[in-house]
Amino acid sequence: EGTSAGADAIEAAFHRALDIAAGQGANLYRLRSAADLARHWRRLGRARDAQALLARLLAELPQARGFPEHAAVTALAEALSGG
């Protein structure tokens, strides 16, 4: 029970970070937050959710190509999809 509540609190914090970054147009922070949430979900056995989140964000942010955050998220998405 405590583990689930802790996992839920962590997930909520990552969602807040994503929302704040999106609201500020801080796309590199969106990528960082999404990567952190995806790793959290992977630990919880939610790799499909994690991969879907990253794929959606990468599609939304093609202008971020060339930045280390984009490369890291791309690598994580590929790892999650088995590639």
Side-chain angles (χ1 to χ4, degrees), residues 11 15 36-51 53:
E11 184 171 340
H15 281 290
D36 289 339
L37 178 56
R39 288 185 199 98
H40 174 68
W41 280 348
R42 179 176 57 185
R43 284 190 294 273
L44 296 176
R46 296 177 58 190
R48 281 188 176 176
D49 293 333
Q51 203 282 327
L53 169 69

Side-chain angles (χ1 to χ4, degrees), residues 6-7 11-12 14 19-21 28-29 33-34 40-42 48 54 56 58 65 67-70 72 74 76 79:
E11 184 171 340
F14 287 135
D19 291 344
I20 290 168
L28 297 181
Y29 285 106
S33 298
H40 174 68
W41 280 348
R42 179 176 57 185
R48 281 188 176 176
L54 298 181
R56 179 178 50 81
L58 288 169
R65 283 191 181 108
F67 288 93
E69 291 84 354
H70 188 279
T74 299
L76 180 56

